[in-house]
Amino acid sequence: MTITLEALDLKKVFERRTIFRNISFLMSEGQSLVVTGRNGSGKSTLLKILAHVLTPTEGSVKIFSGLHNLSHSSHLHIGFVAPYLTLYEEFSGKENLQFALAVRGLAQDAALIDRLLDRFSLGGFKHAPARVFSSGMKQRLKFAFALVHRPPVLLLDEPMANLDTDGINQVRELMTEHRKDGVLVVATNDISDAVIPDFVVDLNVSR
Amino acid sequence: MFVLGTTTIILFSIGGEGIGADVLSGMLWVVIFFSSMSGLSRTFVSEEERGTSLTLQLMATPAAVLGGKLLFNIVLASGLNAFVVILYFLLIAEFVLKTYSIFVLTIVMGSIGLAAAATIIAAIISKANTKGTLFPVLSLPILLPLLIAVIKLTSMAVEGVAFEEAMDEFQFLVAYIVVMVTVSYLLFDYIWKD
């Protein structure tokens, strides 16, 4: 079944200030979108709304598999990475990923967890508590955390934050890969961070 | 420590004076109320303070989060209340029960009611800036009907009233818990997603 992400007439108002309005798009598997705009333009707000963790003032966001609406189980179909996302610091990298599967009610997959930790160069630190990680390592762990339940929709807010050259290359590779068989949304100030997108939402013109 | 402190203060203040069942029952629930306030409010506040609310939102449905936090609070309130009751029995010799069935059911249902109300209030105050002060302020009016009912039931247990005579109060407790859980379930989605 083809996965689609539909945003319809999104509007967000915070304390009488309209952050954005009239944002609509329909994306299918194999497509990517870049959300851009100056600081405070609402990029993170829009991504949180797409992730179903923030309610829009007006409009709706839906995820479909064919004609079947998956929005009620968005936590199973969305992967989200952002600098302001905090993982469980007392847990190790491996435990964070195991916890992410357990809370979602999914079966543990030790091979996948090891593969993801290795992919983001955290294989040697999988038993170390996340609180001892550097900010770059924490950002890498967030990518593993976002992918552990194999989500078809991947939402990345400033994905290159805190990453070194190797990390940036790993994320570029991930974006290219995910774009082939999933839905990819990237919010960034620097459009060169993202793969060449199919759509661009410029929040500087959406107020 | 709070439980031990307040129970000791009650013990010293009543001294050797003969205190009525109503006053002793009221004091028991005062200790339970304030000790619960300090513990039950942490459920959502700790997620906000550690910054893991968003992580939890991404992993579970609002109903699952509410269910989990409610269960945790029920277990915490039951354990805490059992400890308070044991300490109260040990230290306050004047507190003698005659109808145990009423008392046990009151403690069980009181713990569930306290946890149900405290869970949704904790979710509301976790989004506010003045978390510590707001919790008791919001809790008191919501918990007052519950506290009045459980204090009355505890007095009945001390006075030795037959179990059947306490049925009206137990029906009220069941209704209170059902209303609290239903309202929490309906409101939580809006609170959790701002």
Side-chain angles (χ1 to χ4, degrees):
Chain A
M1 287 285 192
T2 307
I3 296 284
T4 51
L5 175 66
E6 178 195 83
L8 200 62
D9 287 331
L10 293 179
K11 178 184 177 183
K12 187 66 184 175
V13 178
F14 275 129
E15 294 172 359
R16 294 191 213 165
R17 191 169 79 95
T18 302
I19 308 296
F20 51 73
R21 68 176 72 173
N22 298 331
I23 293 181
S24 299
F25 54 81
L26 178 65
M27 295 171 67
S28 300
E29 274 175 18
Q31 293 186 315
S32 64
L33 173 129
V34 166
V35 181
T36 187
R38 66 177 79 90
N39 290 345
S41 59
K43 297 186 293 294
S44 299
T45 302
L46 177 58
L47 252 70
K48 285 182 188 173
I49 290 172
L50 295 179
H52 291 73
V53 295
L54 192 64
T55 310
T57 309
E58 286 175 18
S60 64
V61 175
K62 287 175 185 157
I63 304 170
F64 292 98
S65 171
L67 293 173
H68 187 55
N69 188 350
L70 302 175
S71 301
H72 61 282
S73 56
S74 58
H75 62 291
L76 298 175
H77 307 290
I78 290 175
F80 185 89
V81 177
Y84 46 82
L85 182 70
T86 309
L87 300 185
Y88 293 89
E89 304 246 311
E90 63 273 35
F91 289 171
S92 67
K94 189 174 183 178
E95 285 166 345
N96 263 293
L97 303 193
Q98 288 172 333
F99 185 63
L101 287 174
V103 172
R104 288 184 172 98
L106 301 172
Q108 293 296 325
D109 187 340
L112 173 67
I113 289 173
D114 286 342
R115 209 163 52 241
L116 282 171
L117 290 171
D118 287 338
R119 175 174 186 171
F120 293 101
S121 312
L122 293 169
F125 304 93
K126 60 184 171 188
H127 297 300
R131 68 170 171 272
V132 304
F133 284 13
S134 69
S135 51
M137 288 163 78
K138 284 179 183 169
Q139 179 75 355
R140 287 165 192 251
L141 182 58
K142 289 175 200 173
F143 280 96
F145 187 83
L147 294 172
V148 73
H149 55 295
R150 304 170 197 266
V153 179
L154 193 56
L155 308 175
L156 309 178
D157 190 357
E158 299 294 353
M160 308 309 184
N162 300 317
L163 292 177
D164 56 17
T165 315
D166 283 348
I168 289 169
N169 290 335
Q170 286 166 351
V171 173
R172 286 221 168 96
E173 197 180 296
L174 165 71
M175 289 196 286
T176 311
E177 243 176 58
H178 194 86
R179 204 188 150 185
K180 286 180 195 159
D181 52 5
V183 174
L184 177 69
V185 180
V186 182
T188 179
N189 282 315
D190 182 358
I191 205 157
S192 66
D193 276 355
V195 288
I196 298 164
D198 298 294
F199 310 100
V200 175
V201 171
D202 185 355
L203 291 177
N204 293 330
V205 293
S206 298
R207 288 187 184 225
Chain B
M1 267 324 287
F2 179 85
V3 173
L4 200 63
T6 44
T7 318
T8 311
I9 289 167
I10 290 170
L11 179 68
F12 279 114
S13 49
I14 60 174
E17 291 175 37
I19 302 286
D22 284 352
V23 179
L24 284 174
S25 306
M27 284 199 286
L28 170 68
W29 283 96
V30 166
V31 177
I32 287 178
F33 173 75
F34 283 107
S35 52
S36 300
M37 289 305 95
S38 56
L40 300 179
S41 65
R42 299 294 304 161
T43 10
F44 286 100
V45 173
S46 64
E47 296 284 355
E48 289 291 333
E49 283 174 354
R50 294 192 310 168
T52 49
S53 285
L54 178 62
T55 318
L56 200 55
Q57 282 179 305
L58 290 166
M59 290 191 293
T61 61
V65 173
L66 177 68
K69 297 289 187 189
L70 177 60
L71 271 178
F72 174 80
N73 270 352
I74 288 173
V75 172
L76 184 67
S78 303
L80 199 64
N81 294 352
F83 178 66
V84 172
V85 167
I86 291 167
L87 209 64
Y88 209 72
F89 274 127
L90 288 176
L91 296 178
I92 318 279
E94 290 85 352
F95 189 67
V96 180
L97 291 175
K98 289 179 183 152
T99 317
Y100 278 90
S101 53
I102 291 179
F103 185 71
V104 170
L105 197 57
T106 303
I107 292 294
V108 170
M109 293 183 75
S111 302
I112 297 171
L114 264 178
T119 304
I120 192 68
I121 300 165
I124 294 168
I125 62 126
S126 70
K127 304 285 180 189
N129 293 327
T130 50
K131 299 173 176 66
T133 38
L134 205 54
F135 192 70
V137 172
L138 272 181
S139 300
L140 188 65
I142 295 171
L143 287 172
L144 202 57
L146 174 87
L147 290 172
I148 291 170
V150 290
I151 289 170
K152 194 172 173 188
L153 281 164
T154 309
S155 298
M156 285 175 165
V158 174
E159 287 162 2
V161 171
F163 186 83
E164 293 71 31
E165 287 178 43
M167 285 311 289
D168 284 353
E169 300 299 326
F170 282 125
Q171 281 171 0
F172 171 79
L173 285 186
V174 171
Y176 181 89
I177 292 166
V178 169
V179 168
M180 270 303 148
V181 173
T182 310
V183 168
S184 303
Y185 183 76
L186 294 173
L187 284 180
F188 187 68
D189 206 26
Y190 299 99
I191 299 165
W192 190 229
K193 290 185 179 178
D194 280 336

